Amino acid sequence: MTLEAIKELIITQLEQQTESILKQWSTHQGTSTNYFYIDNLLPVALVDEIYMAFPKEGDGFHKRKSFREQKSTFAALANSSAILSDITKAFQLPEVVEKISSLVGMKALEGDPTLYAGGLSMMFKNDFLNPHIDNSHDGNRKRYRRLNLLYYVTPEWMLENGGNFELWDAKVTVPETIIAQFNRLVVMETNNKSWHSVSPVIADNARCCVSNYYFSEISPNGLEYFHVTSFTGRPGEKWKRTVGVVDNFLRNNVAKALKTGRGKGLINKE
């Protein structure tokens, strides 16, 4: 299937599920973060092909492992299969960006072909992503991060498998869980209060995801700000919450002073 055909399928599903999207975006509970998800985004046979193209052991992926997170990521589309490249690029096409922008009422959104902090993601047994707010900007610090798009492709993924997406309340005490269900697209707003995470993976097989971000020169709250990806612990993880405050402060100040940022060498260079 061509990239153009994948684009048309995505736009068609967005149009058909507009009513549900608008309702979810405006009436969510348990979190102040706006979001929506839609199921059955693409034909099953195509999604199976996408899933099978992921390397089952995560070969070639960059492994992150710390008290903050444990996962594997990949953004070099030139070194991936055609189908993985196409499904990732499809969400970056102007028509798709414009369609999603109009649905959520955000103006002047732009894609990010470099896939800074985006691309392909694999999480294996015991992998996790602690509650965090995303880096505020793109790799060049010119645009604010506004939307996070997560497309899940692992067949028969259930709540009991772990590795599910979580959106938190302001105090990061209670999560709203969205299952990383096969053929499900989740779109969430990203700002300096949008705490989210991924629960630890319990299943033996990998949770595979295609991740994209949209940016704009317009700040989400109309004010200028900057922060690195900032982590805290889960409820009950008091030491991670304490260490997180110090860790976030130090990394934020180093990033501001040196204009550095993790992951800048892992972007897509096509």
Side-chain angles (χ1 to χ4, degrees), residues 208-220:
C208 299
C209 178
V210 179
S211 175
N212 284 274
Y213 290 101
Y214 294 166
F215 297 84
S216 79
E217 294 182 0
I218 303 170
S219 165

Side-chain angles (χ1 to χ4, degrees), residues 137-148:
H137 285 70
D138 63 11
N140 295 320
R141 300 192 187 179
K142 301 295 184 181
R143 302 174 300 170
Y144 289 89
R145 196 186 305 259
R146 301 298 305 277
L147 289 180
N148 184 356

Side-chain angles (χ1 to χ4, degrees), residues 28-137:
H28 49 81
Q29 297 179 347
T31 175
S32 60
T33 301
N34 293 316
Y35 76 94
F36 72 82
Y37 66 83
I38 61 176
D39 292 330
N40 305 313
L41 183 71
L42 297 172
V44 171
L46 176 60
V47 191
D48 283 337
E49 182 183 353
I50 294 168
Y51 170 69
M52 292 303 296
F54 275 78
K56 294 302 170 276
E57 301 300 325
D59 295 337
F61 277 54
H62 174 71
K63 184 74 173 182
R64 294 190 183 277
K65 187 175 182 180
S66 72
F67 75 92
R68 310 178 195 99
E69 61 185 336
Q70 185 169 302
K71 64 177 183 177
S72 300
T73 60
F74 182 88
L77 296 185
N79 299 325
S80 70
S81 68
I83 188 61
L84 290 179
S85 177
D86 283 350
I87 184 57
T88 308
K89 288 179 178 178
F91 290 107
Q92 296 288 337
L93 293 176
E95 298 94 328
V96 176
V97 176
E98 182 179 351
K99 184 62 182 178
I100 293 177
S101 301
S102 65
L103 286 170
V104 301
M106 292 186 181
K107 298 180 179 179
L109 292 190
E110 300 172 342
D112 179 29
T114 72
L115 299 177
Y116 177 61
L120 307 175
S121 169
M122 298 185 73
M123 298 186 73
F124 298 89
K125 189 171 184 177
N126 299 321
D127 283 357
F128 65 94
L129 185 55
N130 263 10
H132 65 285
I133 51 175
D134 287 332
N135 189 317
S136 59
H137 285 70

